[in-house]
Amino acid sequence: MSEIISLVNELERKNIKVTQQRRIILGILNNNKGEHLSARDIYTLGKDIDDSIGLSTVYRTLNLLRDVGIIAEYHFDKEFAKYELSCQKEQDIHHHLICKNCGKIIEVENYLPGHFKDEIYDKNQFICQEFSLKVSGLCKECQQLFSEEKTS
Amino acid sequence: MSEIISLVNELERKNIKVTQQRRIILGILNNNKGEHLSARDIYTLGKDIDDSIGLSTVYRTLNLLRDVGIIAEYHFDKEFAKYELSCQKEQDIHHHLICKNCGKIIEVENYLPGHFKDEIYDKNQFICQEFSLKVSGLCKECQQLFSEEKTS
DNA sequence: CTATGTGCAAACCATTTGCGAACCC
DNA sequence: GGGTTCGCAAATGGTTTGCACATAG
């Protein structure tokens, strides 16, 4: 995992101090790509590496990384915030299907037409930096549960 | 505004009691289509109609209406929840551009290909009930601000 | 050396909940 | 009339903040 170095470089390039705690948090995010971690998850994982790390530092760091675009923050349902490294490559972009019944989150590929960023700029003069599609509905398993209920 | 009647009918059809408070809240949502109201906004507006209405009733009612699909709940940024009537007609579906600098929310038409619900079902056996696209970036005005900063 | 970051504990605040009274059907 | 809903006030819990100390550069 040498990608952590490029993440640290990105901080330096933005004139953000690279502290031990920030390095730890970036490492955790980098080792859990594709996962959606809460601030508490990251705090717990961080404790294993450096027991003295504080929860407020985790929050402050996550807010900082979000503001400079290194990580993405999601709010699924009424749950608390979840974080993951921002997608660097266009083909890494994915979206989320959220089951209204069991809360499961399924990641799916990007369904949006490639030109949609341009379309948004042409029509609204709005520069799209990030986008995320949230689809709510019923997952395969919960559909079956409901059809069983009806027949019983 | 006779649409309020069809909303009330929808409640009755779902065997949900139609109380004075629920009628008031539906009315407020119906009179503010296209707006994004917070629970507090609705509470304040409701007070003007019936001063005795309680904030917890507003929350309980909004949760109820959300669960049965009559209203949509949004979480923009770190802000608290915002609500609006669900789109009844396909062509009412819209998405949101959120400016990272000033927080302004711009509504735009649905850019997604019409067949995308089917695509999601075919590939993931997931039934799409609702979907919303959130685009973060810079609005026209804030782009100008940034370019002025650079030149000064 | 100095501005910035950190840990702790307390504060914050939108949202939820418990309970007795009020209300809809 | 009986179960649901309401209003109030108190509790909840994720997130933020104030402050004294530690640390990066």
Side-chain angles (χ1 to χ4, degrees), chain B residues 105-128:
Chain B
I105 295 168
I106 303 164
E107 297 200 346
V108 299
E109 65 180 278
N110 181 17
Y111 287 104
L112 275 63
H115 55 79
F116 111 102
K117 281 189 182 189
D118 301 330
E119 206 170 335
I120 284 179
Y121 186 77
D122 291 343
K123 292 192 181 161
N124 310 280
Q125 287 77 54
F126 188 96
I127 295 180
C128 167

Side-chain angles (χ1 to χ4, degrees), chain B residues 75-76 123 141:
Chain B
H75 291 268
F76 300 120
K123 292 192 181 161
E141 290 71 26

Side-chain angles (χ1 to χ4, degrees), chain A residues 2-20 22-24 26-27 65 70:
Chain A
S2 61
E3 287 176 32
I4 184 76
I5 295 172
S6 75
L7 289 170
V8 168
N9 286 344
E10 201 169 337
L11 285 189
E12 286 170 345
R13 210 178 322 125
K14 297 186 192 226
N15 279 318
I16 296 170
K17 276 189 185 169
V18 180
T19 65
Q20 183 60 23
R22 289 175 182 171
R23 219 184 294 263
I24 288 173
L26 278 178
L65 296 177
I70 292 181

Side-chain angles (χ1 to χ4, degrees), chain B residues 8-148:
Chain B
V8 168
N9 286 344
E10 200 169 336
L11 283 189
E12 287 170 344
R13 210 178 323 125
K14 297 186 194 228
N15 280 318
I16 296 171
K17 279 191 183 164
V18 181
T19 64
Q20 184 60 22
Q21 292 85 342
R22 289 176 183 171
R23 220 185 292 265
I24 289 173
I25 291 170
L26 278 177
I28 291 171
L29 289 164
N30 190 56
N31 289 338
N32 290 279
K33 278 187 193 157
E35 299 284 320
H36 301 111
L37 300 177
S38 68
R40 249 218 154 64
D41 294 336
I42 294 169
Y43 173 65
T44 308
L45 291 168
K47 278 267 178 197
D48 293 340
I49 300 167
D50 175 357
D51 187 57
S52 71
I53 201 167
L55 181 55
S56 46
T57 299
V58 173
Y59 275 106
R60 276 188 282 234
T61 303
L62 291 173
N63 287 345
L64 175 74
L65 297 176
R66 165 182 32 82
D67 289 342
V68 301
I70 292 180
I71 62 175
E73 181 185 77
Y74 297 108
H75 291 268
F76 300 120
D77 265 333
K78 305 209 76 89
E79 289 186 18
F80 29 76
K82 299 285 175 60
Y83 301 87
E84 70 178 326
L85 284 183
S86 294
C87 304
Q88 314 293 331
K89 287 170 259 159
E90 195 75 20
Q91 67 263 34
D92 286 343
I93 295 173
H94 58 271
H95 300 301
H96 299 103
L97 314 181
I98 304 151
C99 179
K100 279 192 171 180
N101 189 55
C102 68
K104 182 166 52 196
I105 295 168
I106 303 164
E107 297 200 346
V108 299
E109 65 180 278
N110 181 17
Y111 287 104
L112 275 63
H115 55 79
F116 111 102
K117 281 189 182 189
D118 301 330
E119 206 170 335
I120 284 179
Y121 186 77
D122 291 343
K123 292 192 181 161
N124 310 280
Q125 287 77 54
F126 188 96
I127 295 180
C128 167
Q129 296 174 335
E130 281 165 58
F131 58 94
S132 77
L133 178 65
K134 224 161 73 172
V135 179
S136 325
L138 286 177
C139 73
K140 198 177 173 182
E141 290 71 26
C142 290
Q143 291 165 37
Q144 292 177 342
L145 283 179
F146 281 122
S147 56
E148 279 167 24

Side-chain angles (χ1 to χ4, degrees), chain A:
Chain A
M1 296 293 165
S2 61
E3 287 176 32
I4 184 76
I5 295 172
S6 75
L7 289 170
V8 168
N9 286 344
E10 201 169 337
L11 285 189
E12 286 170 345
R13 210 178 322 125
K14 297 186 192 226
N15 279 318
I16 296 170
K17 276 189 185 169
V18 180
T19 65
Q20 183 60 23
Q21 292 85 341
R22 289 175 182 171
R23 219 184 294 263
I24 288 173
I25 292 170
L26 278 178
I28 291 171
L29 289 164
N30 190 55
N31 290 337
N32 292 278
K33 278 187 192 157
E35 299 283 318
H36 301 112
L37 300 176
S38 68
R40 243 209 164 67
D41 294 336
I42 294 169
Y43 173 64
T44 308
L45 291 168
K47 278 266 179 200
D48 294 340
I49 300 168
D50 176 357
D51 187 60
S52 72
I53 202 168
L55 181 56
S56 46
T57 299
V58 173
Y59 275 106
R60 277 188 282 232
T61 303
L62 291 172
N63 286 346
L64 175 73
L65 296 177
R66 162 179 41 78
D67 289 343
V68 300
I70 292 181
I71 63 176
E73 181 186 76
Y74 298 108
H75 292 268
F76 301 119
D77 266 333
K78 307 209 73 88
E79 288 186 16
F80 29 75
K82 299 285 174 60
Y83 301 87
E84 70 178 326
L85 284 182
S86 294
C87 304
Q88 313 296 329
K89 288 171 260 163
E90 195 77 19
Q91 66 263 36
D92 286 343
I93 295 173
H94 57 271
H95 301 303
H96 299 103
L97 314 182
I98 304 150
C99 179
K100 279 192 172 180
N101 190 55
C102 68
K104 183 167 49 196
I105 295 167
I106 301 164
E107 299 201 343
V108 298
E109 65 180 279
N110 182 18
Y111 287 104
L112 299 178
H115 54 77
F116 112 102
K117 281 188 178 189
D118 300 331
E119 207 170 335
I120 284 178
Y121 186 77
D122 291 344
K123 292 191 180 160
N124 310 280
Q125 287 77 53
F126 187 96
I127 295 180
C128 166
Q129 295 175 337
E130 278 164 60
F131 58 95
S132 77
L133 177 64
K134 224 160 73 170
V135 179
S136 328
L138 285 178
C139 73
K140 198 177 174 182
E141 289 72 26
C142 291
Q143 291 165 36
Q144 292 178 341
L145 283 180
F146 281 123
S147 55
E148 280 167 25
E149 263 175 41
K150 276 182 198 156
T151 56
S152 66

